Amino acid sequence: MPAEIRLFLCRSDNYGVLLHDPATGATAAIDAPEAAPIEKALAETGWKLTDILVTHHHADHTDGIRALKDKYKCRVVAPAAEASKIPAVDETVSEGDKVKVGNLSANVIETPGHTLGHIAYWFHADKLAFVGDTLFSIGCGRVIEGTPGQMWQSLRKLRDLPDDTEVYCGHEYTATNIKFALTIDENNPVLEARAAQVQQLTEEGAPTIPVSIGDEKLANPFLRADVPDLAADIGMAGEPAEKVFAEIRERKNKF
Ligand code: ZN
Ligand code: FE
């Protein structure tokens, strides 16, 4: 039976996600930005929380853990490298580990850069990836703890996932990201099409995610730092991809 997903906003622009395995009833929250909206989503679906899968230690991804753990006695899975900064951790994971949610199975992918221990959860059979604050639609996370080179390698790992992988990210930043992306990659028809789609979704008050890796890698300038035409457009023809990436990230920081 295919996985079921419930997506909803938490705080101001964080996404809460519930992943449900109908065969076993297991239900995971991907991160816990805030307990109340997660409890509301559980009440609306009738699902019972069994697991919390944490992508990284920032408070806007972990503040809800303690209250949910107290109420549901759920298992908390977190990146080994950040476990000491995350409350109520039961199990730590790192690159290549498998995490089960009922019968659903994820591979752990380490994606350092935003934070040093950041991980993504890739449910291969279900064609789903939960990428936290590493990859956003038409953007990427700020490089806070790692280096731009690390972040570029992490984004390449996500870009290498199968094109039909549906990506869930940690924040609704897509409209702002598109405004910036158009300053970098203004003649990209795929980006223009995404801009039109996102404008409509935003007017409807609908989420702009998930997005497929196949679509995202054609439109997201942070996944295109090794495209020669893009480097040339920003005056960096022939420069290595990680330098081009660092320049695009720097321009976004100032945008
Ligand atoms: Zn973060
Ligand atoms: Fe965040």
Side-chain angles (χ1 to χ4, degrees):
M1 276 191 268
E4 293 173 28
I5 286 191
R6 183 87 168 193
L7 176 71
F8 47 95
L9 279 172
C10 294
R11 303 166 78 107
S12 57
D13 54 31
N14 278 83
Y15 272 121
V17 186
L18 294 178
L19 172 71
H20 179 70
D21 175 23
T24 61
T27 302
I30 314 300
D31 288 329
E34 191 183 8
I38 294 173
E39 290 178 54
K40 180 165 171 272
L42 289 164
E44 287 166 355
T45 53
W47 299 343
K48 186 184 174 305
L49 190 68
T50 51
D51 304 275
I52 301 174
L53 309 184
V54 183
T55 62
H56 68 295
H57 69 84
H58 286 158
D60 65 312
H61 298 256
T62 57
D63 270 358
I65 293 175
R66 183 66 69 184
L68 294 168
K69 174 86 181 170
D70 287 349
K71 183 163 176 184
Y72 299 97
K73 313 294 177 214
C74 50
R75 174 184 65 149
V76 178
V77 179
E82 301 187 352
S84 64
K85 299 175 183 167
I86 297 168
V89 173
D90 296 298
E91 197 178 314
T92 63
V93 290
S94 49
E95 180 78 23
D97 285 346
K98 294 225 187 317
V99 179
K100 299 270 274 183
V101 176
N103 291 339
L104 311 176
S105 180
N107 283 56
V108 173
I109 302 174
E110 291 184 351
T111 58
H114 177 68
T115 64
L116 283 174
H118 195 296
I119 59 173
Y121 296 89
W122 175 39
F123 290 79
H124 185 176
D126 298 276
K127 305 181 195 303
L128 298 167
F130 300 95
V131 302
D133 287 0
T134 299
L135 175 64
F136 297 129
S137 183
I138 319 297
C140 73
R142 278 179 187 271
V143 182
I144 299 173
E145 296 178 9
T147 64
Q150 261 178 334
M151 191 66 161
W152 167 243
Q153 295 306 329
S154 294
L155 290 168
R156 282 186 51 187
K157 284 162 100 174
L158 297 178
R159 187 180 70 174
D160 285 345
L161 295 177
D163 280 353
D164 59 358
T165 308
E166 295 289 315
V167 175
Y168 288 81
C169 55
H171 291 268
E172 178 58 68
Y173 290 155
T174 316
T176 316
N177 287 343
I178 285 173
K179 277 188 201 139
F180 169 74
L182 288 166
T183 70
I184 297 290
D185 198 9
E186 59 185 344
N187 297 316
N188 179 341
V190 184
L191 176 58
E192 282 167 11
R194 177 73 171 140
Q197 180 199 39
V198 165
Q199 187 175 355
Q200 182 164 359
L201 290 169
T202 306
E203 280 166 14
E204 291 166 4
T208 65
I209 64 164
V211 64
S212 74
I213 285 286
D215 289 342
E216 192 63 23
K217 72 186 183 189
L218 296 175
N220 185 332
F222 294 97
L223 297 182
R224 290 165 50 77
D226 55 357
V227 174
D229 283 353
L230 189 144
D233 281 352
I234 64 167
M236 296 188 75
E239 297 283 357
E242 65 176 62
K243 273 184 80 175
V244 176
F245 171 79
E247 171 66 19
I248 300 171
R249 187 58 256 181
E250 196 50 39
R251 291 191 192 186
K252 175 68 165 65
N253 293 346
K254 295 180 189 142
F255 183 69

